[in-house]
Amino acid sequence: MLILGIETSCDDAAAAVFETRRAGIGKILSSAVANQDDIHRLYGGIVPELASRNHVVTMMPIIERAMAEAGCKLVDIGGIAVTRGPGLVGSLLVGLMCAKGLAQAAGIPFVGVNHIEGHLLAPLLENEIAMPYLALVVSGGHTSLFVVEDFGRYRRLGNTRDDAAGEAFDKVAKLMGLGYPGGKVIDDLSKRGHRKAVRFPRARIKSSPMDFSFSGIKTSVASFLKSEAGIATASEDLAASFQETVVDMLLRPTLAAAQATHASVVALTGGVAANSRLRERMAEALAAENRRLVAPAFRFCTDNAAMIAMAGSYRMLRGERDRLELDADANLAL
Ligand code: KG4
Ligand code: ZN
């Protein structure tokens, strides 16, 4: 069965064609993304109205591109999986309305998918992983630890109390005048810097060791930048020291969760999962405890529609479908 995936929860418009026969197993025939970084860069962050207006323009061409790359037409598609939340409501509505229109026109079913479920299942796109597995979802909007028990059964063990880790990368990059989005720039700059140049405090939530907090590090960097020492510190050193702090703060709760659940596999997913130092440190720390790290290819870490098709596919195969009344939900819970 060919599933068309559609994703517009934030500033990327994405479409993918995924061929599936069995839950969790399938072949990605195409995965196309229209990125809006050049538009939002001018404002130093995502402007929701611009994001949805641009989705209106790019959504159908991206769907056509995904189908052309997969060598198929709408008549070949058996069902559509579309993100219905959480995310920016204006952005979500564009993808959802496209999915409904195409499903109606082709006389095929569609299902609404939770964006986080997509991220949680993304590691399965190119790897066979036995369930249960532990997943760290770490992006610009989320920082959470989940046990993926089965398709449709997810248990949250930890969450950020304030900012997401990606948000900290983006805000610190903005403070340092490095542009938007900040994660990749800081990652690249850090390769030339000293990780121990500046010692920032590592936030820990003692009562809840599997939770995260990233608002403090952002404030620490802001006040350091204004200090004499801050003015004298090279950006490479500051970037590397900040990144090392964030990696430590992601590592500790993840290791606590892996130990508590006796996880043999830990999957990293979400945009920040592309961070080279996070991958390196996480792989080392897990290997030392005889656990395995699975991190999807970069294009499946960041927002994409292949993961949405994967997350919708097991429900499609069961014969589930949603009604045309289905609404977008900016705060959809998993
Ligand atoms: O998953 P994603 O594409 O969108 C959201 O759902 O948020 O993640 C985007 C986030 C941004 O905050 C970006 O700065 C961060 O992922 N990011 C990185 C790296 N590449 C992207 N953060 C750290 N290191 C990277 N190499
Ligand atoms: Zn995402």
Side-chain angles (χ1 to χ4, degrees), residues 7 9-10 86 115-116 119 137-142 270-271 301-304 307:
E7 151 68 35
S9 64
C10 194
H115 181 79
I116 305 301
H119 276 305
V137 187
V138 61
S139 72
H142 310 276
C301 284
T302 48
D303 288 349
N304 66 88
M307 69 181 193

Side-chain angles (χ1 to χ4, degrees), residues 4-294:
L4 172 67
I6 297 179
E7 151 68 35
T8 57
S9 64
C10 194
D11 60 334
D12 291 326
V17 180
F18 182 69
E19 183 175 18
T20 183
R21 287 187 193 91
R22 184 153 75 79
I25 308 284
K27 193 169 162 205
I28 308 150
L29 300 186
S30 65
S31 180
V33 182
N35 178 283
Q36 300 182 359
D37 285 352
D38 287 344
I39 295 164
H40 302 288
R41 186 171 288 128
L42 303 173
Y43 305 91
I46 295 165
V47 183
E49 184 175 337
L50 290 180
S52 41
R53 281 170 178 268
N54 276 283
H55 289 330
V56 170
V57 177
T58 51
M59 194 69 251
M60 287 311 297
I62 276 294
I63 292 172
E64 277 170 9
R65 195 166 98 204
M67 290 202 285
E69 281 174 14
C72 70
K73 296 207 160 60
L74 190 55
V75 289
D76 305 314
I77 303 287
I80 300 176
V82 57
T83 307
R84 65 172 287 241
L88 302 170
V89 77
S91 289
L92 290 165
L93 286 172
V94 179
L96 188 59
M97 292 312 293
C98 279
K100 287 183 184 183
L102 288 174
Q104 268 299 83
I108 54 174
F110 80 97
V111 289
V113 169
N114 185 305
H115 181 79
I116 305 301
E117 181 177 20
H119 276 305
L120 290 176
L121 299 181
L124 296 174
L125 284 168
E126 295 185 306
N127 304 278
E128 268 199 47
I129 314 172
M131 291 181 188
Y133 61 86
L134 182 69
L136 172 65
V137 187
V138 61
S139 72
H142 310 276
T143 305
S144 313
L145 280 162
F146 282 91
V147 179
V148 178
E149 294 177 334
D150 200 348
F151 293 102
R153 270 188 32 220
Y154 314 103
R155 186 159 51 92
R156 197 172 77 183
L157 299 178
N159 197 20
T160 179
R161 295 286 179 101
D162 38 62
D163 293 351
E167 214 174 330
F169 271 100
D170 294 337
K171 286 182 179 165
V172 165
K174 194 172 176 178
L175 286 171
M176 292 174 69
L178 300 174
Y180 170 88
K184 170 122 185 37
V185 191
I186 290 188
D187 193 353
D188 291 344
L189 199 59
S190 298
K191 293 191 174 107
R192 290 181 272 124
H194 296 290
R195 298 174 197 126
K196 291 186 178 163
V198 191
R199 174 84 197 167
F200 292 113
R202 272 75 171 151
R204 281 173 70 178
I205 299 160
K206 290 214 177 70
S207 57
S208 180
M210 293 181 229
D211 280 344
F212 307 86
S213 169
F214 293 100
S215 59
I217 176 74
K218 189 185 63 193
T219 317
S220 303
V221 174
S223 46
F224 180 76
L225 274 169
K226 288 187 205 128
S227 69
E228 258 179 53
I231 294 161
T233 303
S235 338
E236 290 85 346
D237 293 345
L238 179 56
S241 304
F242 159 75
Q243 178 173 276
E244 202 67 4
T245 310
V246 174
V247 169
D248 278 342
M249 292 195 298
L250 287 169
L251 218 54
R252 188 188 283 271
T254 308
L255 293 179
Q259 285 154 10
T261 56
H262 308 289
S264 55
V265 172
V266 178
L268 262 186
T269 175
V272 182
N275 186 269
S276 56
R277 185 67 181 150
L278 176 63
R279 286 180 180 232
E280 183 182 48
R281 295 266 321 272
M282 191 71 86
E284 273 170 22
L286 291 173
E289 297 182 352
N290 285 322
R291 301 181 218 277
R292 182 164 70 101
L293 175 73
V294 175

